[in-house]
Amino acid sequence: MTVSSTTTKVSYSGNGSTTVFAYTFKIFAAAEITVIIRDATGTETVKSLTTHFTLSNIGVDGGGNVTFGSAPASGETVVLIRNTPNTQTLDLVENDPFLSS
């Protein structure tokens, strides 16, 4: 799997009325995004999928939207972080020629 975007985080200011916030990076599963609300004092609270928000466009190159059930208040910051696992699914044999094809 190749991830072509170097953007791993976006932040937005809450205003008490906006419930939809765009994430601009590709995720392959819902578990690959962390949604945090940071209050005015800097305290961060991780939000839960389906309990606090829903996701759209999982697997789409341009990203999608995080939609909250209730709008983050003024003074709060919405932080969306991509946390794609760094795994290698190809088993390479030691000292074996690796052909480019």
Side-chain angles (χ1 to χ4, degrees), residues 56-97:
S56 67
N57 295 343
I58 295 170
V60 175
D61 286 337
N65 293 316
V66 171
T67 303
F68 288 94
S70 58
S74 294
E76 292 182 327
T77 303
V78 177
V79 183
L80 310 175
I81 302 171
R82 178 176 64 192
N83 55 1
T84 306
N86 297 322
T87 56
Q88 179 177 327
T89 57
L90 177 64
D91 185 19
L92 300 174
V93 178
E94 199 171 325
N95 296 317
D96 188 41

Side-chain angles (χ1 to χ4, degrees), residues 3-64:
V3 178
S4 59
S5 171
T6 57
T7 303
T8 59
K9 179 172 84 169
V10 290
S11 299
Y12 299 96
S13 296
N15 61 10
S17 63
T18 302
T19 58
V20 179
F21 299 89
Y23 62 92
T24 57
F25 40 80
K26 184 175 186 174
I27 59 172
F28 295 93
E32 294 182 1
I33 190 167
T34 301
V35 177
I36 298 170
I37 298 292
R38 182 183 305 130
D39 68 17
T41 65
T43 302
E44 295 184 343
T45 305
V46 177
K47 297 300 182 176
S48 300
L49 180 64
T50 67
T51 302
H52 301 110
F53 67 92
T54 59
L55 290 173
S56 67
N57 295 343
I58 295 170
V60 175
D61 286 337

